[in-house]
């Protein structure tokens, strides 16, 4: 099986400006994703899709290939699914054939090779997409609420039962950004991730940190220093 790894890193980030090339223990977040992709034998190419020249320069320093993402696909409200389609079309125009599409967001630098390989291995003929999850520490059946238009609260997810103990609620999971695996033809023929049959790899919380703001960055830095020591 031939797999191509794609890293989607646009220039704009409101939660943490310059996030994708911010230095985590002296190494840019983008570098963690590229280096990990290169450790996996079945990955033949690593592409970085970006609209930002600084991100592109860092990607080249780590020997990744560049996909120039159109500005229209790099806005705050631009669906990343469309960037996935654009990246596949770019690669196919280069006559590069591949069987598996692997997206490695820069925001999960604590994942390891085993996490990603497990995702690649889980994609089978009965599955369209593999994502990663971690056990949620708050349950939508028990202690997550939404505010209705009239100002009153209601449980975010209600199944008609009243739960009084955390142990009784159905297990819930958070989606993580460790890895996404699918096939190029599925992306080109579909409009969303969960349109097809989706499986998941459960990742320990300490390797599933998703960096979106300064607090997340500090947590990741602390965990990484502890691991290295």
């Amino acid at each position: 099986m031939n797999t191509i790894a794609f890293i989607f890193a646009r220039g704009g980030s409101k939660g943490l400006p310059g996030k994708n090339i911010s230095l985590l223990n002296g190494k840019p977040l983008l570098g963690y994703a590229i280096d990990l992709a290169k450790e996996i034998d079945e990955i033949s190419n690593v592409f970085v899709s970006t609209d930002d020249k600084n991100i592109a320069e860092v990607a080249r320093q780590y020997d990744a290939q560049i996909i120039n993402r159109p500005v229209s696909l790099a806005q705050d409200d631009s669906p990343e699914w469309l960037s996935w389609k654009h990246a596949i079309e770019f690669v196919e125009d280069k006559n590069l054939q591949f069987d598996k599409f692997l997206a490695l967001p820069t925001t999960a630098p604590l994942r390891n090779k085993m996490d990603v390989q497990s995702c690649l291995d889980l994609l089978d003929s009965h599955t369209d997409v593999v994502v990663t999850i971690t056990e949620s520490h708050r349950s939508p059946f028990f202690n997550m609420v939404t505010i209705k238009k009239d100002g009153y609260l209601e449980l975010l997810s209600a199944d008609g039962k009243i739960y009084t103990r955390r142990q009784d609620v159905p297990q819930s999971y958070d989606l993580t950004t460790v890895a996404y695996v699918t096939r190029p033809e599925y992306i080109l023929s579909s409009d969303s991730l969960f349109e097809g049959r989706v499986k998941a790899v459960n990742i320990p919380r300490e390797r599933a940190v998703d960096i979106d703001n300064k607090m997340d960055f500090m947590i990741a830095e602390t965990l990484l220093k502890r691991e290295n020591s």
Side-chain angles (χ1 to χ4, degrees):
M1 284 292 213
N2 180 23
T3 299
I4 291 182
F6 295 88
I7 302 165
F8 297 87
R10 68 187 184 91
S13 175
K14 292 182 178 179
L16 185 61
K19 173 176 62 180
N20 289 305
I21 53 177
S22 293
L23 297 180
L24 178 66
N25 280 12
K27 182 176 180 177
L29 288 183
L30 180 61
Y32 285 92
I34 295 173
D35 282 349
L36 181 59
K38 290 183 176 180
E39 291 180 16
I40 299 173
D41 292 338
E42 71 180 78
I43 294 177
S44 60
N45 301 84
V46 181
F47 284 91
V48 173
S49 168
T50 187
D51 63 313
D52 186 276
K53 63 180 182 180
N54 294 321
I55 292 175
E57 178 58 30
V58 172
R60 291 189 184 96
Q61 291 173 11
Y62 282 85
D63 295 324
Q65 301 177 69
I66 307 301
I67 298 174
N68 292 313
R69 193 191 310 192
V71 174
S72 61
L73 296 180
Q75 304 303 307
D76 288 338
D77 58 353
S78 299
E80 187 160 296
W81 191 258
L82 297 182
S83 295
W84 288 15
K85 290 190 176 187
H86 173 263
I88 291 170
E89 291 167 353
F90 177 91
V91 167
E92 289 184 343
D93 285 345
K94 289 181 168 291
N95 295 317
L96 290 176
Q97 302 299 317
F98 63 108
D99 307 292
K100 292 181 184 178
F101 171 103
L102 168 65
L104 288 176
T106 62
T107 53
L110 303 185
R111 66 191 153 214
N112 62 28
K113 179 180 178 181
M114 178 183 67
D115 296 331
V116 178
Q117 189 64 60
S118 295
C119 294
L120 292 168
D121 293 342
L122 191 57
L123 188 70
D124 57 26
S125 60
H126 304 292
T127 306
D128 297 308
V129 183
V130 175
V131 300
T132 52
I133 57 175
T134 190
E135 294 183 8
S136 58
H137 67 284
R138 302 184 67 81
S139 170
F141 294 95
F142 187 70
N143 54 12
M144 294 179 68
V145 298
T146 185
I147 301 176
K148 298 186 292 183
K149 290 182 179 179
D150 59 10
Y152 294 103
L153 300 183
E154 68 177 358
L155 285 170
L156 188 61
S157 180
D159 61 1
K161 298 180 181 180
I162 298 177
Y163 298 100
T164 58
R165 301 191 315 157
R166 183 188 302 272
Q167 297 92 327
D168 296 332
V169 301
Q171 178 64 60
S172 60
Y173 299 89
D174 294 330
L175 285 170
T176 80
T177 59
V178 169
Y180 301 86
V181 178
T182 183
R183 298 179 184 84
E185 57 268 23
Y186 174 76
I187 295 173
L188 294 176
S189 63
S190 304
D191 294 320
S192 67
L193 197 67
F194 284 93
E195 193 173 301
R197 300 161 296 182
V198 183
K199 287 185 178 180
V201 174
N202 196 345
I203 307 294
R205 189 179 301 171
E206 64 270 17
R207 296 205 304 272
V209 174
D210 180 20
I211 297 178
D212 187 53
N213 52 46
K214 290 183 179 179
M215 180 63 71
D216 299 331
F217 197 91
M218 291 170 61
I219 292 171
E221 194 166 44
T222 299
L223 290 173
L224 190 60
K225 286 180 178 178
R226 187 182 69 178
E227 179 184 336
N228 290 338
S229 65

